[in-house]
C-alpha cells in the first residue's frame, strides 16, 4: 500500500503532460520531483515514528560551565556608491560597518554521556554547593569581543572524585562520594523495529485503560531534578529515600559502562506472576538497555520474581530470580549490592540483529499519506500547471487567429 501515493503522483502529472500539446518538460520534471520528494519525506517521517523509540540513559553531571554575558563585534563589508566616473558610470567604494551582537550569560552542565544541558543559575549553584569543589575561572580574549575579553568559570566533578576516592574504591560503597554525586537520566532515540512489527517477537497490544485495570506501571517520569526514580511501588509511586538514591546512583555509574538501566517494579503478589508478564507486554519487552525486575510483594515478603530484558542469554535474570527465592525478605539494598557483584553476567542485546524485520505503516498512516499526496498534487496543479496550460492555450489561439488573418 505504501507504493500507492507514488503511483498517484506519477499519474497526476502524466495526464496533463500528455494532454498538453506543447508541455514545458523542465517544469513538469521539476514539479514531479518536488511532489515525489514531499511524499517521500512524509513517508520517511512516518516510518521513523514506527521504527524509533526512546530509551533512558543514566548519567552523572561531570562539569558545570558558566560564561558571563558579552557583546560580539561583527565587522561586515558593504559597497556603496561614491560618485560617477568621466563616462557617467556609477563608482562604488567598500566600507566596513560594525554590528554588535549580544550574547546572554550561559549556565550549563556537561554529563558523563557527553550531553550539554542549559540550566538555571539557581540550579548551577545548587550543584556547585553539593560538590564543594574549587572554582576554575577562565577568560577568552579577542578583537571581536567588546572590551577585549570574556569571562567564565567551571566546576569539575573530577575534583570531588580525586578528593574522596581511595585506591579505586567503587563509588557505590563510598557514602561521601555518593552524597556529592548529582545523578541524571537522559533520553535517547534509537531504532527498535520490534515494537511495531508482526514478527515472532511481537507482544500483546495492551492499551492504557487495560493497563490501569491490571495495575501495570508506566515508565516513571524524569522530574525537575533531571533524574528518574528506578523503583516503583505497588501503587505506581516512586519510593524515594535512601534506597531510591542508591538505585539512581547505580544507573548513573553503571549505565554508561555496562549499558544497563535498572528498573524494579513492585506488584501485589496476589495478582500472580501473570501480571509481570502483562507488564512485559505493556512495555513491549522494554528498551534494549533495560533490566526490569518485577517483584510480587505481600507484607514485605517477596512471593515471586519475574525479570525481563533483551539479553541473548538471560543469565542475570535467572540468577536474580534465584536470589529472591533464597532471600524472600524485601531488602532492595542487599539485592543491589548482590547485583553489583554479579554485573558481569549482563550483556546488552545488539538491536542491529533485528534489522531484517519489516515494519509497515498502519492503515491510518497509509490513508493519511495518500491524502497528503493528493492535496500536494492538487495545489501544484491549481497554482502552477493549470495557469501554465491556460497560458499556452491562449498563446495558441492568438497564433491561430494571426495565421487566419494573414491567409484570408
Amino acid at each position: 500500500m505504501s507504493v500507492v501515493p507514488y503511483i498517484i503522483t506519477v499519474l497526476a502529472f502524466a495526464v496533463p503532460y500528455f494532454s498538453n500539446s506543447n508541455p514545458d518538460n523542465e517544469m513538469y520534471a521539476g514539479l514531479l520531483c518536488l511532489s515525489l520528494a514531499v511524499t517521500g519525506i512524509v513517508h520517511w517521517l512516518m516510518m521513523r515514528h514506527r521504527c524509533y523509540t526512546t530509551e533512558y540513559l543514566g548519567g552523572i553531571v561531570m562539569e558545570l560551565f558558566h560564561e558571563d554575558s558579552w557583546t560580539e563585534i561583527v565587522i561586515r563589508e558593504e559597497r556603496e556608491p561614491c560618485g560617477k566616473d568621466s563616462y557617467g558610470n556609477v563608482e562604488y567604494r567598500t566600507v566596513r560597518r560594525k554590528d554588535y551582537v549580544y550574547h546572554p550569560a550561559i549556565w550549563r552542565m556537561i554529563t558523563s554521556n557527553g550531553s550539554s544541558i542549559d540550566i538555571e543559575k539557581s540550579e548551577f549553584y545548587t550543584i556547585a554547593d553539593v560538590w564543594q569543589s574549587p572554582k576554575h575561572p577562565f577568560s577568552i580574549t579577542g578583537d571581536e569581543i567588546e572590551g577585549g575579553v570574556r569571562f567564565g568559570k567551571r566546576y569539575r566533578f573530577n575534583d570531588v572524585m580525586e578528593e574522596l576516592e581511595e585506591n579505586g574504591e567503587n563509588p557505590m560503597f563510598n557514602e561521601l562520594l555518593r552524597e556529592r554525586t548529582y545523578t541524571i537520566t537522559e533520553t535517547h532515540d534509537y531504532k527498535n523495529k520490534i515494537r511495531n512489527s508482526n514478527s515472532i517477537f511481537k507482544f500483546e497490544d495492551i492499551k492504557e485503560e487495560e493497563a490501569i485495570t491490571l495495575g501495570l506501571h508506566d515508565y516513571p517520569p524524569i522530574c525537575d531534578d533531571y533524574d528518574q526514580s528506578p523503583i516503583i511501588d505497588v501503587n505506581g509511586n516512586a519510593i524515594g529515600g535512601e534506597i531510591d538514591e542508591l538505585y539512581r546512583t547505580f544507573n548513573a555509574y553503571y549505565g554508561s559502562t555496562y549499558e544497563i538501566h535498572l528498573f524494579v517494579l513492585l506488584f501485589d503478589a496476589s495478582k500472580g506472576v501473570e501480571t509481570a508478564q502483562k507488564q512485559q507486554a505493556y512495555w513491549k519487552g522494554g528498551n534494549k538497555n533495560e533490566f526490569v525486575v518485577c517483584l510480587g510483594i505481600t507484607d514485605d515478603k517477596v512471593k515471586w520474581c519475574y525479570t525481563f530484558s533483551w539479553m541473548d542469554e538471560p543469565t542475570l535474570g535467572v540468577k536474580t530470580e534465584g536470589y529472591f527465592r533464597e532471600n524472600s525478605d524485601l531488602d532492595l539494598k542487599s539485592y543491589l549490592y548482590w547485583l553489583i557483584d554479579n554485573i558481569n553476567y549482563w550483556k546488552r542485546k545488539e538491536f542491529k540483529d533485528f534489522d531484517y524485520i519489516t515494519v509497515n505503516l498502519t492503515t491510518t498512516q497509509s490513508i493519511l499519506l495518500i491524502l497528503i499526496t493528493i492535496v500536494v498534487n492538487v495545489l501544484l496543479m491549481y497554482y502552477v500547471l493549470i495557469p501554465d496550460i491556460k497560458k499556452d492555450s491562449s498563446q495558441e489561439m492568438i497564433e491561430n487567429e494571426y495565421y487566419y488573418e494573414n491567409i484570408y
Side-chain angles (χ1 to χ4, degrees), residues 340-351:
I340 292 171
D341 289 339
N342 290 271
I343 192 64
N344 288 327
Y345 288 107
W346 168 263
K347 181 172 175 55
R348 177 181 68 77
K349 171 70 175 177
E350 294 292 340
F351 264 48

Side-chain angles (χ1 to χ4, degrees), residues 33-89:
C33 290
L34 175 61
S35 183
L36 288 173
V38 172
T39 300
I41 291 172
V42 175
H43 189 183
W44 178 81
L45 290 173
M46 289 180 173
M47 285 301 298
R48 192 181 192 284
H49 179 72
R50 294 277 289 167
C51 294
Y52 278 76
T53 190
T54 301
E55 65 177 341
Y56 298 96
L57 306 176
I60 302 167
V61 178
M62 297 301 297
E63 182 178 307
L64 295 173
F65 174 87
H66 165 64
E67 185 175 47
D68 294 334
S69 59
W70 62 287
T71 300
E72 180 182 5
I73 303 173
V74 179
I75 306 296
R76 55 187 177 86
E77 295 184 348
E78 292 183 351
R79 296 183 67 207
E80 65 177 22
C82 59
K84 295 184 178 180
D85 60 17
S86 57
Y87 298 99
N89 299 318

Side-chain angles (χ1 to χ4, degrees), residues 284-344:
K284 305 296 183 185
N287 289 306
K288 65 180 182 180
N289 66 334
E290 289 173 5
F291 181 55
V292 184
V293 180
C294 302
L295 300 176
I297 307 299
T298 298
D299 298 329
D300 289 333
K301 293 287 187 179
V302 178
K303 298 299 182 181
W304 51 259
C305 173
Y306 180 84
T307 66
F308 60 89
S309 69
W310 285 103
M311 293 180 66
D312 288 323
E313 297 180 9
T315 309
L316 186 60
V318 172
K319 286 185 172 293
T320 291
E321 292 169 9
Y323 172 87
F324 282 106
R325 278 195 299 270
E326 297 174 2
N327 301 271
S328 59
D329 290 335
L330 182 62
D331 187 344
L332 294 179
K333 185 175 182 180
S334 294
Y335 168 68
L336 185 63
Y337 290 151
W338 175 90
L339 179 61
I340 292 171
D341 289 339
N342 290 271
I343 192 64
N344 288 327

Side-chain angles (χ1 to χ4, degrees), residues 182-376:
Y182 196 87
T183 62
I184 62 166
T185 301
E186 302 177 69
T187 57
H188 171 256
D189 289 343
Y190 73 100
K191 185 186 290 186
N192 183 346
K193 300 180 76 172
I194 297 173
R195 295 178 69 90
N196 293 307
S197 71
N198 291 316
S199 68
I200 59 173
F201 302 101
K202 182 177 176 63
F203 288 92
E204 176 188 359
D205 189 18
I206 298 178
K207 303 299 183 184
E208 185 176 351
E209 298 78 9
E210 183 182 359
I212 294 174
T213 303
L214 293 172
L216 306 183
H217 300 306
D218 289 317
Y219 277 105
I222 296 177
C223 301
D224 293 338
D225 60 356
Y226 301 95
D227 208 359
Q228 175 192 55
S229 177
I231 309 175
I232 304 300
D233 67 16
V234 294
N235 298 313
N237 301 316
I239 65 168
E242 179 193 5
I243 299 300
D244 182 76
E245 180 184 330
L246 278 170
Y247 275 70
R248 290 186 188 209
T249 306
F250 173 86
N251 280 337
Y253 277 103
Y254 285 84
S256 58
T257 304
Y258 288 89
E259 297 183 308
I260 186 174
H261 197 79
L262 174 65
F263 286 109
V264 176
L265 309 180
L266 305 183
F267 297 89
D268 183 347
S270 64
K271 293 185 177 182
V273 72
E274 297 79 14
T275 304
Q277 294 168 346
K278 292 285 187 179
Q279 181 70 53
Q280 182 179 13
Y282 185 48
W283 280 10
K284 305 296 183 185
N287 289 306
K288 65 180 182 180
N289 66 334
E290 289 173 5
F291 181 55
V292 184
V293 180
C294 302
L295 300 176
I297 307 299
T298 298
D299 298 329
D300 289 333
K301 293 287 187 179
V302 178
K303 298 299 182 181
W304 51 259
C305 173
Y306 180 84
T307 66
F308 60 89
S309 69
W310 285 103
M311 293 180 66
D312 288 323
E313 297 180 9
T315 309
L316 186 60
V318 172
K319 286 185 172 293
T320 291
E321 292 169 9
Y323 172 87
F324 282 106
R325 278 195 299 270
E326 297 174 2
N327 301 271
S328 59
D329 290 335
L330 182 62
D331 187 344
L332 294 179
K333 185 175 182 180
S334 294
Y335 168 68
L336 185 63
Y337 290 151
W338 175 90
L339 179 61
I340 292 171
D341 289 339
N342 290 271
I343 192 64
N344 288 327
Y345 288 107
W346 168 263
K347 181 172 175 55
R348 177 181 68 77
K349 171 70 175 177
E350 294 292 340
F351 264 48
K352 64 183 180 182
D353 295 344
F354 297 123
D355 283 349
Y356 70 91
I357 293 176
T358 300
V359 178
N360 298 316
L361 297 181
T362 64
T363 302
T364 301
Q365 286 178 318
S366 297
I367 293 173
L368 181 60
L369 180 59
I370 291 173
L371 291 176
I372 291 174
T373 299
I374 292 174
V375 169
V376 170

